[in-house]
Amino acid sequence: LVCTQEELLPCKSLPETLLFQLLGLSIATMSTVTHYGLRFTLISNVSLDSNSYSVIHHTAFYFGICLSMTLILAALLSSAATVRESQCLTAMGFFCFALAFCGLIPAACWRYTHSTEVEESMMDVYDFVYEEVRRNTSSFRRHELMAIHEAFLCCGKHSPFGDTTNVENKTCPPSQVHDEGQDCLQEIQGFLKKHMDFVFSLLGI
């Protein structure tokens, strides 16, 4: 790209708008992974209506997509405004950035006021399936529990006495049972903490 002296300012600002477009695409990708990822969909499909996880799961996806589209639109408007030197397009671009900023404020507040709600709801879902299998030999719930164990690479809930129940013997992969696999509640908590830290680092940018 070759710029004349008069076009120097527009050319300098174009890489900045490209960064906003890449940020918007990154947020859209993260939202899609969060919504359609195997571990998240497994928990969402098992979740009961009384559990808040499904609502949080869908809300996070739509919020992320709306935020990413707003950022991409703002970047495109800013690019067009810079090239054409249009005050109207500049105002529209700033309005889109303001919408994105206003959307991030309640998201950040929710993150700090409900910091453990997501992980607690996910662990509640696992507890529910585990107890259903323990009380009843339903093949439907047992298949769900086996799928969760395979997805999270974990094995049941560890007893403080160190014994392994029939639930673990019937639903965990053989390698996890023999090698005393990871406690699923701890594995879910650790996985979600890493994921949420990454998500909010991206939103912080």
Side-chain angles (χ1 to χ4, degrees), residues 69-85:
M69 293 300 104
T70 303
L71 284 175
I72 292 173
L73 178 61
L76 292 175
L77 289 172
S78 297
S79 298
T82 303
V83 172
R84 298 186 180 185
E85 298 182 355

Side-chain angles (χ1 to χ4, degrees), residues 43-56 58 117 121 124-125 128 141:
I43 299 296
S44 180
N45 291 336
V46 178
S47 178
L48 298 176
D49 293 337
S50 57
N51 189 288
S52 61
Y53 177 76
S54 292
V55 175
I56 297 173
H58 293 293
E117 184 172 343
S121 63
D124 285 345
V125 171
F128 166 74
R141 292 299 182 191

Side-chain angles (χ1 to χ4, degrees), residues 11-106:
C11 288
K12 282 185 177 179
S13 64
L14 289 178
E16 296 177 3
T17 57
L18 180 60
L19 289 176
F20 280 112
Q21 292 179 31
L22 291 176
L23 181 60
L25 289 174
S26 299
I27 293 175
T29 302
M30 177 56 61
S31 300
T32 304
V33 169
T34 301
H35 189 70
Y36 295 105
L38 175 61
R39 296 180 176 185
F40 292 105
T41 53
L42 276 174
I43 299 296
S44 180
N45 291 336
V46 178
S47 178
L48 298 176
D49 293 337
S50 57
N51 189 288
S52 61
Y53 177 76
S54 292
V55 175
I56 297 173
H57 187 225
H58 293 293
T59 302
F61 171 70
Y62 292 119
F63 173 80
I65 292 298
C66 290
L67 178 61
S68 64
M69 293 300 104
T70 303
L71 284 175
I72 292 173
L73 178 61
L76 292 175
L77 289 172
S78 297
S79 298
T82 303
V83 172
R84 298 186 180 185
E85 298 182 355
S86 169
Q87 293 183 351
C88 180
L89 291 176
T90 301
M92 293 173 64
F94 275 113
F95 178 72
C96 290
F97 281 123
L99 284 179
F101 181 74
C102 291
L104 284 174
I105 292 177

Side-chain angles (χ1 to χ4, degrees), residues 188-204:
I188 290 172
Q189 188 177 25
F191 162 76
L192 191 61
K193 184 180 184 304
K194 292 178 182 177
H195 184 81
M196 295 294 285
D197 288 344
F198 184 79
V199 168
F200 282 96
S201 297
L202 188 63
L203 293 180

Side-chain angles (χ1 to χ4, degrees), residues 55-170:
V55 175
I56 297 173
H57 187 225
H58 293 293
T59 302
F61 171 70
Y62 292 119
F63 173 80
I65 292 298
C66 290
L67 178 61
S68 64
M69 293 300 104
T70 303
L71 284 175
I72 292 173
L73 178 61
L76 292 175
L77 289 172
S78 297
S79 298
T82 303
V83 172
R84 298 186 180 185
E85 298 182 355
S86 169
Q87 293 183 351
C88 180
L89 291 176
T90 301
M92 293 173 64
F94 275 113
F95 178 72
C96 290
F97 281 123
L99 284 179
F101 181 74
C102 291
L104 284 174
I105 292 177
C109 292
W110 185 90
R111 171 72 175 92
Y112 287 104
T113 56
H114 300 77
S115 58
T116 61
E117 184 172 343
V118 180
E119 66 182 41
E120 286 177 355
S121 63
M122 287 186 74
M123 290 190 290
D124 285 345
V125 171
Y126 179 80
D127 275 331
F128 166 74
V129 178
Y130 184 92
E131 293 301 322
E132 282 288 303
V133 174
R134 190 177 64 83
R135 289 194 299 262
N136 191 350
T137 57
S138 169
S139 60
F140 177 70
R141 292 299 182 191
R142 187 165 63 249
H143 285 307
E144 290 179 338
L145 189 60
M146 290 173 64
I148 294 175
H149 287 165
E150 291 177 2
F152 284 92
L153 299 177
C154 61
C155 182
K157 299 189 294 184
H158 287 178
S159 168
F161 302 104
D163 58 337
T164 302
T165 65
N166 289 330
V167 175
E168 281 80 1
N169 291 327
K170 293 179 180 179

